[in-house]
Amino acid sequence: RNAMTRLGPSYVKMGQFLATRPDVVGVGIARELELLQDRMPPFPQREAEEVVSTALDRPLTEIFDEFSESVAAASIAQVHKARLKGSDDYVAVKVIRPGVRVRMGRDLNAMRFVARVIDRFGGREAQRFHAPDVVETIARAIFFEMDMRFEAAALSELAENTKDDPDFRVPVPYWDYTAGPVLTAEWIDGIRLSDLDALDAAGCDRPKLARVMLQSFLRHAVRDGFFHADMHPGNLFVDAAGNLVAVDFGIMGRLSAKNRRYLGEILHGFIARDYRRVAEVHFEAGWVPADQSVDNFTQALRAVGEPIHNRTAEEFSMARVLTLLLDITSLFNMHARTELVMLQKTMVVVEGVTRTLDPKINIWKTSEPIVSEWLVKEFGPEGAVQRLGHGMKTLLEVVEELPEAARRYINLIEEMERARRAAALPASTETDEKHHVPTGATVALWVIALALVVLAVGAL
């Protein structure tokens, strides 16, 4: 832990991730690494006050009646409890660490160098992981994390998505007191999910919390395609009403509609033990090379799913499952999907946290209601209507673009025809037919236009 703290914020992030997997790194190491989640050494109070005052362009005394010492400190920022001027409302003020951009930039440059070396000299196995692309995915996420305006926007979007979700909520952002290095949001009074003793003393239902966490994550990822990608216990609280409250929205993940469909079908396939369908979805998504065998991949997936089906978390080792999955990706020459990096990382963290809260949780049974609800919506009448609407919109957009597309193609064909004639005939034989479009070109133009319409109709 001390070494990771000295090495800088990128290594602290790795430590936070490992802290959620005591089944992989061991209980002792995991408990030590938990200190990296929110109990790192804070930077001086005076510096924090200067950052806030400068960012909001006014003295601190004009904004807050109270501004506490740091109450939580992590790798990128620290949090202060404050009371708004002339109000009884308490807020959490998150302040970026001075100089963290420079340190993070240095770390990322080092990662880029190592990734290039691995990709070039690591051989076929290393190249499957596309290390440079993975690093760039991480770099983009970190760029967003270091600008509090983006975090406030993520908080606002997630709040809209989850306003009707049971037992889960997020704090409200205060846009008037938010700037690049400062985020002000609703203060959350609650018990950290990492404090198991306090949860037990307060009579919290830990199995229910585990269920809420897993199901909330699935709703956000599969239903919305937008999810909290840093769900370690230091970022999760239980409020007085028993709700799970998430904070720290610097790192978020997104999934396209197509990838959400793939994910939902894969999860349902594992729940239903339909390994053949799970295999087919992997091939349809392009996640397994087309030259591989669907039958063999089905068999490999059965080797993953059967040992953990209808088993509680304490009855199987996730470390062994992860090892088997890595063996399968190698056997079938599967390459890393950079668009899924945040999802894969978050799924491992969520599973680890739920396992800690409730060692007897059954992942598949807990996931089944959310996945089934999504399947009914996606493939039922409502989903059909939505897909029809998207298809009609695509068709109309193509039709609207046809005149302009036709004009561009006509101009191109005219230029080609003039060039051909200039190369074949003397300059004196040129006629005033330069604006005539040859019959073959006109036919080709209509073929192209019709092809565009056919493609649009195919989207329906």
Side-chain angles (χ1 to χ4, degrees):
R1 174 175 60 82
N2 288 334
M4 285 181 165
T5 301
R6 291 194 301 271
L7 284 168
S10 300
Y11 300 89
V12 170
K13 289 290 182 187
M14 176 62 72
Q16 293 172 349
F17 172 77
L18 294 175
T20 67
R21 301 304 326 197
D23 54 320
V24 176
V25 300
V27 174
I29 292 177
R31 286 180 176 170
E32 189 70 21
L33 294 177
E34 284 178 358
L35 299 176
L36 298 175
Q37 293 172 349
D38 56 13
R39 283 169 282 180
M40 290 188 63
F43 58 90
Q45 177 78 1
R46 179 182 54 80
E47 292 185 29
E49 293 177 358
E50 287 178 0
V51 170
V52 174
S53 178
T54 301
L56 301 182
D57 197 27
R58 61 190 114 166
L60 208 66
T61 54
E62 293 183 8
I63 310 171
F64 306 109
D65 283 331
E66 299 176 25
F67 192 85
S68 76
E69 297 282 337
S70 169
V71 296
S75 57
I76 301 293
Q78 65 187 34
V79 177
H80 300 258
K81 184 177 182 179
R83 183 164 59 86
L84 293 175
K85 187 76 174 179
S87 169
D88 293 330
D89 294 336
Y90 281 92
V91 293
V93 183
K94 185 176 179 181
V95 187
I96 290 287
R97 286 182 177 271
V100 72
R101 290 177 180 272
V102 174
R103 294 195 66 183
M104 190 64 80
R106 186 170 64 242
D107 289 351
L108 288 171
N109 286 335
M111 288 182 185
R112 290 185 176 104
F113 172 75
V114 173
R116 289 195 298 269
V117 171
I118 290 173
D119 196 55
R120 182 169 182 179
F121 301 108
R124 173 179 167 276
E125 277 297 298
Q127 290 174 355
R128 290 192 306 110
F129 291 98
H130 298 297
D133 293 337
V134 172
V135 170
E136 291 310 313
T137 299
I138 295 171
R140 285 193 296 273
I142 289 174
F143 171 80
F144 273 78
E145 186 177 13
M146 290 189 295
D147 191 318
M148 297 291 98
R149 294 166 296 185
F150 293 135
E151 180 168 344
L155 174 53
S156 177
E157 182 176 351
L158 194 64
E160 288 183 12
N161 292 344
T162 62
K163 63 181 182 296
D164 297 323
D165 287 0
D167 304 313
F168 180 90
R169 72 181 189 93
V170 297
V172 177
Y174 286 71
W175 284 101
D176 291 342
Y177 307 108
T178 295
V182 177
L183 168 66
T184 303
E186 172 192 0
W187 176 260
I188 298 298
D189 276 317
I191 304 171
R192 288 188 186 276
L193 215 60
S194 56
D195 194 344
L196 299 181
D197 292 337
L199 292 175
D200 292 338
C204 295
D205 187 343
R206 283 169 52 181
K208 178 186 176 182
L209 288 173
R211 184 173 66 253
V212 169
M213 179 169 182
L214 179 59
Q215 293 183 343
S216 295
F217 165 70
L218 288 175
R219 284 192 187 95
H220 307 162
V222 178
R223 180 193 65 192
D224 306 324
F226 186 62
F227 57 92
H228 195 311
D230 200 15
M231 294 186 75
H232 62 70
N235 287 339
L236 297 163
F237 291 82
V238 181
D239 67 12
N243 295 311
L244 186 66
V245 187
V247 300
D248 192 354
F249 301 89
I251 301 180
M252 304 296 292
R254 288 193 184 273
L255 288 175
S256 67
K258 183 179 293 186
N259 280 332
R260 285 180 357 234
R261 286 197 297 272
Y262 292 146
L263 174 62
E265 286 204 72
I266 287 170
L267 289 172
H268 181 262
F270 270 113
I271 291 169
R273 301 168 73 181
D274 186 355
Y275 303 112
R276 177 75 184 190
R277 182 55 189 152
V278 175
E280 290 171 348
V281 172
H282 276 79
F283 279 83
E284 291 169 10
W287 298 343
V288 181
D291 60 354
Q292 299 295 323
S293 165
V294 177
D295 292 331
N296 289 340
F297 192 62
T298 301
Q299 182 180 350
L301 291 174
R302 183 178 292 274
V304 174
E306 285 300 295
I308 63 177
H309 194 76
N310 279 334
R311 299 286 185 92
T312 64
E314 64 184 355
E315 292 176 332
F316 67 89
S317 167
M318 182 53 67
R320 292 181 181 177
V321 174
L322 293 173
T323 300
L324 178 56
L325 286 172
L326 287 173
D327 290 341
I328 289 174
T329 63
S330 176
L331 180 63
F332 291 90
N333 194 30
M334 296 170 65
H335 290 244
R337 310 294 305 191
T338 53
E339 71 272 25
L340 301 179
V341 166
M342 289 300 172
L343 174 72
Q344 293 163 337
K345 171 252 190 187
T346 308
M347 289 178 74
V348 174
V349 171
V350 169
E351 197 274 340
V353 176
T354 56
R355 173 190 289 260
T356 301
L357 287 169
D358 179 17
K360 297 186 181 298
I361 190 171
N362 185 307
I363 301 296
W364 303 122
K365 285 185 177 179
T366 305
S367 304
E368 195 276 335
I370 306 305
V371 177
S372 296
E373 178 185 331
W374 172 84
L375 283 172
V376 170
K377 182 177 180 181
E378 182 70 16
F379 295 101
E382 182 180 347
V385 170
Q386 287 182 348
R387 288 194 296 276
L388 179 62
H390 289 313
M392 288 299 297
K393 181 180 178 182
T394 302
L395 176 59
L396 290 174
E397 288 174 350
V398 171
V399 171
E400 288 175 356
E401 290 293 326
L402 279 177
E404 180 59 29
R407 174 52 49 197
R408 289 197 297 268
Y409 283 124
I410 288 173
N411 292 339
L412 175 62
I413 292 169
E414 287 179 345
E415 290 294 334
M416 293 173 62
E417 182 66 13
R418 282 198 293 270
R420 184 187 67 78
R421 290 184 177 185
L425 300 174
S428 60
T429 65
E430 290 185 359
T431 70
D432 61 352
E433 297 180 352
K434 61 181 179 179
H435 293 297
H436 171 68
V437 181
T439 302
T442 304
V443 172
L445 176 61
W446 278 105
V447 169
I448 292 169
L450 288 172
L452 289 173
V453 173
V454 170
L455 288 174
V457 173
L460 298 176

PDB file of all heavy atoms in Angstrom, residues 402 405 409 413 441-455:
ATOM      1  N   LEU A 402     -30.437  11.780 -50.136  1.00  0.00           N
ATOM      2  CA  LEU A 402     -30.270  11.295 -51.504  1.00  0.00           C
ATOM      3  C   LEU A 402     -30.028  12.411 -52.526  1.00  0.00           C
ATOM      4  O   LEU A 402     -29.131  12.285 -53.366  1.00  0.00           O
ATOM      5  CB  LEU A 402     -31.498  10.470 -51.911  1.00  0.00           C
ATOM      6  CG  LEU A 402     -31.516   9.012 -51.418  1.00  0.00           C
ATOM      7  CD1 LEU A 402     -32.807   8.337 -51.833  1.00  0.00           C
ATOM      8  CD2 LEU A 402     -30.319   8.250 -51.957  1.00  0.00           C
ATOM      9  N   ALA A 405     -26.495  13.581 -52.124  1.00  0.00           N
ATOM     10  CA  ALA A 405     -25.597  12.498 -52.518  1.00  0.00           C
ATOM     11  C   ALA A 405     -25.573  12.354 -54.033  1.00  0.00           C
ATOM     12  O   ALA A 405     -24.517  12.162 -54.649  1.00  0.00           O
ATOM     13  CB  ALA A 405     -26.027  11.181 -51.863  1.00  0.00           C
ATOM     14  N   TYR A 409     -22.329  12.685 -56.581  1.00  0.00           N
ATOM     15  CA  TYR A 409     -21.941  11.633 -57.519  1.00  0.00           C
ATOM     16  C   TYR A 409     -21.926  12.164 -58.956  1.00  0.00           C
ATOM     17  O   TYR A 409     -21.036  11.810 -59.755  1.00  0.00           O
ATOM     18  CB  TYR A 409     -22.887  10.437 -57.395  1.00  0.00           C
ATOM     19  CG  TYR A 409     -22.629   9.577 -56.190  1.00  0.00           C
ATOM     20  CD1 TYR A 409     -23.632   9.321 -55.267  1.00  0.00           C
ATOM     21  CD2 TYR A 409     -21.370   9.018 -55.974  1.00  0.00           C
ATOM     22  CE1 TYR A 409     -23.386   8.539 -54.145  1.00  0.00           C
ATOM     23  CE2 TYR A 409     -21.119   8.239 -54.862  1.00  0.00           C
ATOM     24  CZ  TYR A 409     -22.132   7.997 -53.951  1.00  0.00           C
ATOM     25  OH  TYR A 409     -21.894   7.218 -52.839  1.00  0.00           O
ATOM     26  N   ILE A 413     -18.714  12.138 -61.408  1.00  0.00           N
ATOM     27  CA  ILE A 413     -18.718  11.470 -62.713  1.00  0.00           C
ATOM     28  C   ILE A 413     -18.362  12.450 -63.821  1.00  0.00           C
ATOM     29  O   ILE A 413     -17.641  12.122 -64.771  1.00  0.00           O
ATOM     30  CB  ILE A 413     -20.102  10.815 -62.958  1.00  0.00           C
ATOM     31  CG1 ILE A 413     -20.287   9.644 -61.981  1.00  0.00           C
ATOM     32  CG2 ILE A 413     -20.232  10.311 -64.389  1.00  0.00           C
ATOM     33  CD1 ILE A 413     -21.690   9.101 -61.942  1.00  0.00           C
ATOM     34  N   ALA A 441     -23.334   6.614 -66.555  1.00  0.00           N
ATOM     35  CA  ALA A 441     -23.165   7.253 -65.252  1.00  0.00           C
ATOM     36  C   ALA A 441     -24.508   7.448 -64.569  1.00  0.00           C
ATOM     37  O   ALA A 441     -24.639   7.282 -63.360  1.00  0.00           O
ATOM     38  CB  ALA A 441     -22.460   8.604 -65.422  1.00  0.00           C
ATOM     39  N   THR A 442     -25.519   7.817 -65.375  1.00  0.00           N
ATOM     40  CA  THR A 442     -26.846   8.006 -64.794  1.00  0.00           C
ATOM     41  C   THR A 442     -27.378   6.710 -64.216  1.00  0.00           C
ATOM     42  O   THR A 442     -27.943   6.679 -63.116  1.00  0.00           O
ATOM     43  CB  THR A 442     -27.814   8.522 -65.871  1.00  0.00           C
ATOM     44  OG1 THR A 442     -27.285   9.722 -66.429  1.00  0.00           O
ATOM     45  CG2 THR A 442     -29.191   8.787 -65.279  1.00  0.00           C
ATOM     46  N   VAL A 443     -27.194   5.619 -64.952  1.00  0.00           N
ATOM     47  CA  VAL A 443     -27.630   4.312 -64.451  1.00  0.00           C
ATOM     48  C   VAL A 443     -26.913   3.965 -63.163  1.00  0.00           C
ATOM     49  O   VAL A 443     -27.518   3.515 -62.175  1.00  0.00           O
ATOM     50  CB  VAL A 443     -27.388   3.225 -65.516  1.00  0.00           C
ATOM     51  CG1 VAL A 443     -27.664   1.835 -64.931  1.00  0.00           C
ATOM     52  CG2 VAL A 443     -28.263   3.465 -66.740  1.00  0.00           C
ATOM     53  N   ALA A 444     -25.588   4.204 -63.157  1.00  0.00           N
ATOM     54  CA  ALA A 444     -24.807   3.907 -61.950  1.00  0.00           C
ATOM     55  C   ALA A 444     -25.297   4.739 -60.765  1.00  0.00           C
ATOM     56  O   ALA A 444     -25.378   4.257 -59.628  1.00  0.00           O
ATOM     57  CB  ALA A 444     -23.322   4.184 -62.202  1.00  0.00           C
ATOM     58  N   LEU A 445     -25.641   6.004 -61.043  1.00  0.00           N
ATOM     59  CA  LEU A 445     -26.129   6.874 -59.978  1.00  0.00           C
ATOM     60  C   LEU A 445     -27.405   6.334 -59.353  1.00  0.00           C
ATOM     61  O   LEU A 445     -27.567   6.295 -58.132  1.00  0.00           O
ATOM     62  CB  LEU A 445     -26.372   8.276 -60.555  1.00  0.00           C
ATOM     63  CG  LEU A 445     -26.971   9.319 -59.613  1.00  0.00           C
ATOM     64  CD1 LEU A 445     -26.053   9.550 -58.437  1.00  0.00           C
ATOM     65  CD2 LEU A 445     -27.216  10.604 -60.371  1.00  0.00           C
ATOM     66  N   TRP A 446     -28.335   5.888 -60.225  1.00  0.00           N
ATOM     67  CA  TRP A 446     -29.593   5.348 -59.700  1.00  0.00           C
ATOM     68  C   TRP A 446     -29.374   4.038 -58.950  1.00  0.00           C
ATOM     69  O   TRP A 446     -30.054   3.749 -57.966  1.00  0.00           O
ATOM     70  CB  TRP A 446     -30.598   5.156 -60.834  1.00  0.00           C
ATOM     71  CG  TRP A 446     -31.296   6.430 -61.170  1.00  0.00           C
ATOM     72  CD1 TRP A 446     -31.093   7.240 -62.245  1.00  0.00           C
ATOM     73  CD2 TRP A 446     -32.294   7.058 -60.378  1.00  0.00           C
ATOM     74  NE1 TRP A 446     -31.896   8.344 -62.175  1.00  0.00           N
ATOM     75  CE2 TRP A 446     -32.659   8.259 -61.042  1.00  0.00           C
ATOM     76  CE3 TRP A 446     -32.933   6.745 -59.179  1.00  0.00           C
ATOM     77  CZ2 TRP A 446     -33.618   9.131 -60.555  1.00  0.00           C
ATOM     78  CZ3 TRP A 446     -33.894   7.609 -58.692  1.00  0.00           C
ATOM     79  CH2 TRP A 446     -34.227   8.783 -59.371  1.00  0.00           C
ATOM     80  N   VAL A 447     -28.442   3.238 -59.419  1.00  0.00           N
ATOM     81  CA  VAL A 447     -28.127   1.991 -58.712  1.00  0.00           C
ATOM     82  C   VAL A 447     -27.622   2.296 -57.312  1.00  0.00           C
ATOM     83  O   VAL A 447     -28.024   1.674 -56.320  1.00  0.00           O
ATOM     84  CB  VAL A 447     -27.087   1.160 -59.498  1.00  0.00           C
ATOM     85  CG1 VAL A 447     -26.558   0.011 -58.634  1.00  0.00           C
ATOM     86  CG2 VAL A 447     -27.711   0.615 -60.774  1.00  0.00           C
ATOM     87  N   ILE A 448     -26.739   3.285 -57.202  1.00  0.00           N
ATOM     88  CA  ILE A 448     -26.199   3.667 -55.895  1.00  0.00           C
ATOM     89  C   ILE A 448     -27.309   4.189 -54.994  1.00  0.00           C
ATOM     90  O   ILE A 448     -27.415   3.828 -53.812  1.00  0.00           O
ATOM     91  CB  ILE A 448     -25.095   4.734 -56.071  1.00  0.00           C
ATOM     92  CG1 ILE A 448     -23.874   4.110 -56.752  1.00  0.00           C
ATOM     93  CG2 ILE A 448     -24.693   5.316 -54.718  1.00  0.00           C
ATOM     94  CD1 ILE A 448     -22.844   5.115 -57.210  1.00  0.00           C
ATOM     95  N   ALA A 449     -28.187   5.038 -55.539  1.00  0.00           N
ATOM     96  CA  ALA A 449     -29.279   5.584 -54.737  1.00  0.00           C
ATOM     97  C   ALA A 449     -30.203   4.480 -54.238  1.00  0.00           C
ATOM     98  O   ALA A 449     -30.598   4.456 -53.072  1.00  0.00           O
ATOM     99  CB  ALA A 449     -30.064   6.600 -55.563  1.00  0.00           C
ATOM    100  N   LEU A 450     -30.549   3.547 -55.128  1.00  0.00           N
ATOM    101  CA  LEU A 450     -31.418   2.442 -54.726  1.00  0.00           C
ATOM    102  C   LEU A 450     -30.745   1.569 -53.677  1.00  0.00           C
ATOM    103  O   LEU A 450     -31.390   1.068 -52.752  1.00  0.00           O
ATOM    104  CB  LEU A 450     -31.805   1.609 -55.955  1.00  0.00           C
ATOM    105  CG  LEU A 450     -32.798   2.275 -56.922  1.00  0.00           C
ATOM    106  CD1 LEU A 450     -32.948   1.449 -58.191  1.00  0.00           C
ATOM    107  CD2 LEU A 450     -34.153   2.463 -56.245  1.00  0.00           C
ATOM    108  N   ALA A 451     -29.434   1.377 -53.830  1.00  0.00           N
ATOM    109  CA  ALA A 451     -28.703   0.570 -52.847  1.00  0.00           C
ATOM    110  C   ALA A 451     -28.767   1.218 -51.463  1.00  0.00           C
ATOM    111  O   ALA A 451     -28.924   0.536 -50.445  1.00  0.00           O
ATOM    112  CB  ALA A 451     -27.253   0.394 -53.272  1.00  0.00           C
ATOM    113  N   LEU A 452     -28.657   2.542 -51.422  1.00  0.00           N
ATOM    114  CA  LEU A 452     -28.764   3.243 -50.138  1.00  0.00           C
ATOM    115  C   LEU A 452     -30.136   3.033 -49.513  1.00  0.00           C
ATOM    116  O   LEU A 452     -30.257   2.821 -48.300  1.00  0.00           O
ATOM    117  CB  LEU A 452     -28.506   4.743 -50.340  1.00  0.00           C
ATOM    118  CG  LEU A 452     -27.062   5.137 -50.669  1.00  0.00           C
ATOM    119  CD1 LEU A 452     -26.993   6.626 -51.009  1.00  0.00           C
ATOM    120  CD2 LEU A 452     -26.136   4.827 -49.509  1.00  0.00           C
ATOM    121  N   VAL A 453     -31.188   3.084 -50.343  1.00  0.00           N
ATOM    122  CA  VAL A 453     -32.529   2.863 -49.803  1.00  0.00           C
ATOM    123  C   VAL A 453     -32.679   1.448 -49.286  1.00  0.00           C
ATOM    124  O   VAL A 453     -33.251   1.219 -48.221  1.00  0.00           O
ATOM    125  CB  VAL A 453     -33.582   3.142 -50.906  1.00  0.00           C
ATOM    126  CG1 VAL A 453     -34.977   2.747 -50.409  1.00  0.00           C
ATOM    127  CG2 VAL A 453     -33.565   4.601 -51.306  1.00  0.00           C
ATOM    128  N   VAL A 454     -32.153   0.478 -50.046  1.00  0.00           N
ATOM    129  CA  VAL A 454     -32.236  -0.930 -49.605  1.00  0.00           C
ATOM    130  C   VAL A 454     -31.525  -1.113 -48.259  1.00  0.00           C
ATOM    131  O   VAL A 454     -32.018  -1.791 -47.357  1.00  0.00           O
ATOM    132  CB  VAL A 454     -31.632  -1.859 -50.661  1.00  0.00           C
ATOM    133  CG1 VAL A 454     -31.482  -3.284 -50.102  1.00  0.00           C
ATOM    134  CG2 VAL A 454     -32.516  -1.877 -51.900  1.00  0.00           C
ATOM    135  N   LEU A 455     -30.347  -0.499 -48.100  1.00  0.00           N
ATOM    136  CA  LEU A 455     -29.614  -0.590 -46.828  1.00  0.00           C
ATOM    137  C   LEU A 455     -30.432   0.019 -45.700  1.00  0.00           C
ATOM    138  O   LEU A 455     -30.474  -0.512 -44.589  1.00  0.00           O
ATOM    139  CB  LEU A 455     -28.259   0.122 -46.950  1.00  0.00           C
ATOM    140  CG  LEU A 455     -27.205  -0.597 -47.800  1.00  0.00           C
ATOM    141  CD1 LEU A 455     -25.987   0.299 -47.950  1.00  0.00           C
ATOM    142  CD2 LEU A 455     -26.816  -1.926 -47.175  1.00  0.00           C
TER     143      LEU A 455
END
